[in-house]
Structure formats: C-alpha cells, structure tokens
Amino acid sequence: MRTAFISDIHANVHAFKAVLEDVRQHDIDRMVCLGDVIGYGPDPIECLDLVQEHCALTLLGNHDFACRTEPVNFNFMARDAALWTRDRLDLPYPDESARDRRIAFLDSL
C-alpha cells in the first residue's frame, strides 16, 4: 500500500490543495497526517475539513493541541495564532453540526 505522509499544514489551504493534487497524480492509496493541521495560517476550518476527508489517520500536533487547550510554551506569535484559530473554530460555519464535527475530530486526536 502506497502511503503519503503529510504534516505541518498550519492552516495553509493553498499549499495543502497543491499537495493533494500531487498525491492524486502519484497513485497513492492513503494519506496519513502527522499533525499540525491548524495554527498560524488563515484557513483552519477548510484545512480540517480536507484532512478529515482525505487522511486515513491523523496525529495530534502541538499546534492542534494548543488550539483546543491553553497554548503554553509558545512564543507570543504562536500563542496569538492559537487563540485566533480557537476563535475561528468556535464559529458555526456553515452550521453548528459542522463546527461540532471539527471540534470532535480535534478532540479525538
């Protein structure tokens, strides 16, 4: 089974979509995400949705963890990014069930 390992997406949906396109072109059977789906970038919601759709397994990264708990041992920029991301994840976009699904996914990692 050909497996693609990805990591450190950091909510950069444009880069992640480019990776997904490359994976499609290389006859990959499954993808595994090694963490840090969110944090820093502007598109945490879309990146979480794509990871859930495309990855057979996802591990918890420190930025994923920080966005669901208290971001400790982070520099001020990373801490602010985690808090900003947490605010985005609390939005019921496009509805509350989608928000709840994302939160449950993060909490299951």
Side-chain angles (χ1 to χ4, degrees):
M1 176 178 287
R2 292 182 59 155
T3 303
F5 292 92
I6 62 171
S7 69
D8 298 282
I9 298 164
H10 288 291
N12 182 341
V13 74
H14 298 292
F16 187 28
K17 285 181 177 180
V19 168
L20 290 173
E21 182 57 35
D22 188 62
V23 166
R24 280 188 204 100
Q25 294 176 13
H26 286 90
D27 195 30
I28 301 297
D29 299 308
R30 72 177 182 162
M31 285 193 347
V32 172
C33 180
L34 302 177
D36 285 341
V37 176
I38 56 179
Y40 294 121
D43 302 302
I45 290 172
E46 191 167 0
C47 288
L48 278 171
D49 290 347
L50 288 170
V51 164
Q52 288 178 81
E53 180 182 343
H54 294 284
C55 294
L57 174 69
T58 302
L59 302 179
L60 179 69
N62 64 324
H63 288 267
D64 307 322
F65 181 75
C67 292
R68 291 296 298 141
T69 62
E70 189 59 34
V72 295
N73 298 322
F74 275 51
N75 65 46
F76 73 93
M77 289 175 57
R79 182 182 182 283
D80 288 351
L83 295 174
W84 179 87
T85 298
R86 182 184 301 166
D87 289 343
R88 300 289 80 69
L89 296 176
D90 284 339
L91 297 174
Y93 175 79
D95 54 43
E96 289 182 11
S97 66
R99 177 196 60 209
D100 294 346
R101 176 183 44 78
R102 289 182 202 104
I103 297 301
F105 173 72
L106 283 170
D107 289 348
S108 74
L109 301 180

